Amino acid sequence: MKKYFLSLILSFAAMAAFPQQGKITTGIDKKKQKIGAQFNLTLKTTVDTTAKVVFPKGDSFGPMMVIRDEKPDTVRKGARYELVKKYGLTQFDSGSYLIPKLKVLINKKPFFSDSLRVEVANVKVDTLKQGLYDIKPVIQMEKPSKSWWWWCLLISTLIVGACALGYYFFTLFKNRKTTEEIYKTPIEKATSLLKNLENKQLWQKGEVKSYYSELTDIARNYIEEEIHIPAMESTTTELIEALRKVANQKKMTLSQDTFINLEKVLKQADLVKFAKSKPLDFEILEDKKRVESSIVLIHKAVPEEIIEEDTSELDELMKEKFLKKKKRKTTLIAVASVFGALLLTLGILIAVKGLDYVIDNTLGHPTKTLLEGEWITSEYGNPAIELQTPEVLKRINAKDFLPKDAMQLIKDMQTFQYGNIFGDFGIMVATNTYKENPDGKQADINLDDAIEGEIKLFEKKGAQRITVFKEDYTDKDGSVGMKAYGTYIRVNPEDRTSIKMAYEMIYFHQGNGLQKVIVVHQEDDKYAKPLTDKLMKSVELISQTP
């Protein structure tokens, strides 16, 4: 019994000495700040020295923006660590805001901080001591001179590249012509190339693969030019068989050793090039002698008539291969020439019009296509709104967008949409007719409250850091409404990247009806802004007949 009480006392002592792991202490320096001022939030926990702690990260905690995220401070206390994490938070709209519970992972187990409510107050302006002044006029700034040297460098590089490509093919043809003029016969050409190959001393320098590649190319070229066999495209077996066949047709006096020696060299070259074989020095010398001997023997065995280009007795397969090779070379030259011209044209277009212009006009751009397409004038809803749109809007069921208490007040709802106003681009037109009050009077509709409700709906759909500007609006027919516009941040659900969006809303109130037009697009979309302006200018409220 004494041992039991002793153990119990020691357990309580241990718990008192070491705080429970996982408790998160939450603190903030001030509960009330001015707009844009910083709230200093602190999260503190005490854990074992072996514990792994992951504090929350993000651009915002609920409605509060995170403007500072410091590294955790670690204080050792005996066998435990006290971790202190500090954040700087702010908000640019006045009001009361709740900093939500934040999740801290300790050894992959979640623990939560306390939620805190803070007040953000407006900055009071004393107009008695500080006078008010008119807005300064717009000052036209001198545009900085364009860096034409960069564009000149780009154009010059493209022109030089195209000229180099043209010079390469010109030189290729010129060299082929010159080669034909210098070497009067194939045997003279082959003999000269063998001497040049020996002077390079490739295999002596360890470049055995390059040596065998040039050696067999000389032999194959000679056979192709002398006997008109497509030797460069044939395998070793195909070449020897074709050579035997032509020798038999032309009654060439070639010994069996000639075929065997030539085949040995070609197979040895295949092993060197594809199997990384390394022949000995004496084997390399022997292969060179075999090629020289084969070329000489073939030259002596060729009848005089074969010098004239008479391919009538070659079989159809050899003729086809020979013609295919010539056709391929011609096609390659044509393709390269066209590619060079296109490259030069593309470079000039990029230099003159810019990269975005070239991409938008070649690959296309969604909102550019909508803006430049044929627009349609239509009426939507009842009471109707008439406007021009790049595509016909489709009727959708928008009842799920509104809260239940709001739906109880609506008598009829007609909503039309193109795209998705909660996505990257969307157009929406909606008309709502509200029920009459119990006393038979028209429903009390406030446009300002309606816009605020729309903004809250955007927040519910994940919009963050929404800016709102409001002003009176008059359509082209004189109907008066209210316009709201601004920006917000939308998080892409696929890759969690932030996208800055822009929106415009127009609201009208007529009788028991509320009409609205909403356009949403990415802020940096240069075609979406003129598209929105064109659409909004075309809006006309159709007066409700009594």
Side-chain angles (χ1 to χ4, degrees):
M1 182 66 71
K2 290 181 179 180
K3 290 182 178 180
Y4 172 76
F5 282 113
L6 182 60
S7 301
L8 188 62
I9 292 169
L10 291 174
S11 298
F12 281 116
M15 291 175 63
F18 300 102
Q20 184 182 0
Q21 181 165 294
K23 183 180 179 182
I24 307 298
T25 303
T26 312
I28 196 162
D29 62 337
K30 292 182 180 179
K31 291 291 185 73
K32 189 173 183 179
Q33 288 277 33
K34 295 179 180 178
I35 289 179
Q38 179 174 303
F39 292 90
N40 295 312
L41 176 68
T42 303
L43 302 182
K44 186 186 299 183
T45 185
T46 303
V47 295
D48 295 334
T49 55
T50 58
K52 184 177 181 181
V53 181
V54 180
F55 286 99
K57 291 184 178 180
D59 296 330
S60 61
F61 293 157
M64 304 298 292
M65 293 173 54
V66 178
I67 58 175
R68 183 171 56 86
D69 186 347
E70 297 184 358
K71 291 183 179 180
D73 290 333
T74 304
V75 180
R76 190 179 185 99
K77 293 187 175 180
R80 298 171 71 80
Y81 283 140
E82 183 183 69
L83 302 179
V84 180
K85 177 73 172 178
K86 294 181 180 180
Y87 300 93
L89 310 180
T90 191
Q91 173 57 253
F92 293 98
D93 288 327
S94 61
S96 176
Y97 298 96
L98 182 69
I99 301 173
K101 294 181 180 181
L102 302 177
K103 182 169 67 175
V104 179
L105 296 177
I106 301 176
N107 292 330
K108 298 184 179 180
K109 185 178 179 181
F111 295 87
F112 294 89
S113 65
D114 297 330
S115 59
L116 297 172
R117 183 165 293 279
V118 295
E119 298 288 334
V120 179
N122 275 319
V123 178
K124 294 183 179 180
V125 179
D126 189 350
T127 57
L128 298 176
K129 295 181 180 180
Q130 176 65 48
L132 298 178
Y133 301 94
D134 291 334
I135 298 173
K136 296 290 184 181
V138 177
I139 300 175
Q140 297 293 333
M141 300 294 293
E142 293 184 5
K143 295 183 178 180
S145 58
K146 296 182 178 179
S147 302
W148 286 106
W149 68 268
W150 191 90
W151 295 110
C152 292
L153 179 63
L154 177 62
I155 295 172
S156 302
T157 304
L158 291 169
I159 292 174
V160 169
C163 292
L165 192 65
Y167 177 76
Y168 169 77
F169 287 106
F170 173 76
T171 307
L172 181 65
F173 280 107
K174 186 178 179 182
N175 289 344
R176 286 182 62 186
K177 235 177 178 182
T178 307
T179 301
E180 291 173 359
E181 292 173 359
I182 294 175
Y183 305 116
K184 296 180 180 179
T185 60
I187 185 65
E188 184 180 344
K189 177 181 176 181
T191 304
S192 176
L193 292 177
L194 285 171
K195 287 181 180 178
N196 292 338
L197 177 61
E198 194 61 29
N199 292 333
K200 291 180 181 179
Q201 295 187 336
L202 293 176
W203 68 270
Q204 292 90 336
K205 298 175 182 177
E207 300 177 21
V208 179
K209 184 176 178 179
S210 299
Y211 177 80
Y212 269 94
S213 181
E214 289 196 29
L215 180 67
T216 52
D217 282 350
I218 292 171
R220 287 175 178 271
N221 269 311
Y222 168 74
I223 293 171
E224 188 168 294
E225 294 175 2
E226 188 75 87
I227 311 178
H228 306 291
I229 294 174
M232 297 299 293
E233 297 178 349
S234 302
T235 63
T236 298
T237 303
E238 290 174 345
L239 176 57
I240 297 302
E241 287 179 359
L243 186 58
R244 287 180 186 275
K245 190 171 184 179
V246 173
N248 184 48
Q249 290 175 350
K250 296 297 182 180
K251 298 179 181 180
M252 297 168 59
T253 55
L254 289 175
S255 66
Q256 190 67 19
D257 290 340
T258 304
F259 297 110
I260 293 172
N261 288 334
L262 184 59
E263 188 174 12
K264 281 183 179 179
V265 178
L266 295 175
K267 286 185 175 181
Q268 180 79 291
D270 291 338
L271 291 173
V272 172
K273 288 188 285 185
F274 305 113
K276 297 182 180 180
S277 176
K278 294 183 179 180
L280 301 175
D281 292 354
F282 78 90
E283 291 177 317
I284 297 174
L285 292 172
E286 284 296 323
D287 287 338
K288 178 177 177 295
K289 290 178 182 179
R290 289 190 183 103
V291 171
E292 290 175 339
S293 174
S294 299
I295 289 174
V296 172
L297 291 174
I298 292 171
H299 173 69
K300 290 180 179 180
V302 174
E304 287 294 326
E305 294 79 17
I306 206 165
I307 295 176
E308 299 177 5
E309 192 169 329
D310 183 15
T311 59
S312 59
E313 296 184 10
L314 291 175
D315 63 37
E316 292 301 321
L317 182 61
M318 296 302 165
K319 286 181 181 179
E320 188 178 349
K321 284 187 176 182
F322 193 75
L323 292 173
K324 278 184 179 179
K325 181 182 177 182
K326 285 188 175 181
K327 186 178 180 180
R328 224 174 6 247
K329 287 182 179 178
T330 305
T331 305
L332 178 63
I333 294 167
V335 170
S337 301
V338 172
F339 178 76
L342 288 174
L343 187 66
L344 180 61
T345 305
L346 183 64
I348 294 173
L349 273 175
I350 292 173
V352 175
K353 296 288 188 178
L355 182 60
D356 290 341
Y357 174 86
V358 174
I359 292 175
D360 293 344
N361 286 275
T362 53
L363 301 180
H365 192 285
T367 48
K368 179 178 184 293
T369 304
L370 292 174
L371 177 63
E372 297 176 352
E374 184 177 352
W375 284 49
I376 302 159
T377 302
S378 302
E379 292 184 5
Y380 298 94
N382 183 29
I385 294 179
E386 182 182 277
L387 73 162
Q388 289 184 347
T389 56
E391 296 285 346
V392 176
L393 308 184
K394 295 182 179 179
R395 184 187 293 268
I396 64 169
N397 183 7
K399 292 182 180 180
D400 296 337
F401 294 163
L402 299 178
K404 292 182 179 179
D405 55 348
M407 286 300 303
Q408 292 175 357
L409 303 174
I410 295 176
K411 180 180 179 182
D412 181 46
M413 173 188 292
Q414 298 182 42
T415 307
F416 306 85
Q417 184 171 267
Y418 173 83
N420 182 7
I421 63 168
F422 302 116
D424 288 339
F425 179 81
I427 303 170
M428 176 184 279
V429 176
T431 59
N432 299 340
T433 304
Y434 291 88
K435 298 175 182 177
E436 293 182 349
N437 293 327
D439 55 2
K441 295 182 179 180
Q442 292 183 351
D444 185 17
I445 299 174
N446 186 289
L447 294 183
D448 192 76
D449 292 342
I451 292 173
E452 290 297 328
E454 197 75 49
I455 297 301
K456 289 180 180 179
L457 181 59
F458 272 79
E459 288 179 340
K460 184 179 177 182
K461 292 293 182 179
Q464 302 175 4
R465 307 181 197 174
I466 303 178
T467 61
V468 183
F469 301 94
K470 300 176 186 177
E471 60 185 39
D472 293 333
Y473 179 83
T474 305
D475 72 359
K476 63 180 184 179
D477 199 36
S479 298
V480 178
M482 182 173 286
K483 178 180 180 181
Y485 58 94
T487 61
Y488 64 89
I489 300 297
R490 186 178 76 85
V491 178
N492 191 325
E494 295 179 0
D495 55 10
R496 308 304 298 171
T497 55
S498 296
I499 305 170
K500 193 167 186 181
M501 306 294 296
Y503 70 89
E504 285 193 26
M505 304 176 182
I506 297 177
Y507 275 72
F508 294 104
H509 168 41
Q510 188 178 192
N512 271 2
L514 178 72
Q515 297 83 25
K516 62 182 178 181
V517 180
I518 303 174
V519 181
V520 175
H521 59 84
Q522 294 187 22
E523 190 189 39
D524 60 356
D525 188 344
K526 61 183 178 182
Y527 301 106
K529 179 58 179 172
L531 184 151
T532 304
D533 292 342
K534 181 178 178 180
L535 186 149
M536 291 302 188
K537 287 178 182 177
S538 71
V539 173
E540 181 180 352
L541 179 66
I542 305 300
S543 299
Q544 189 175 13
T545 55

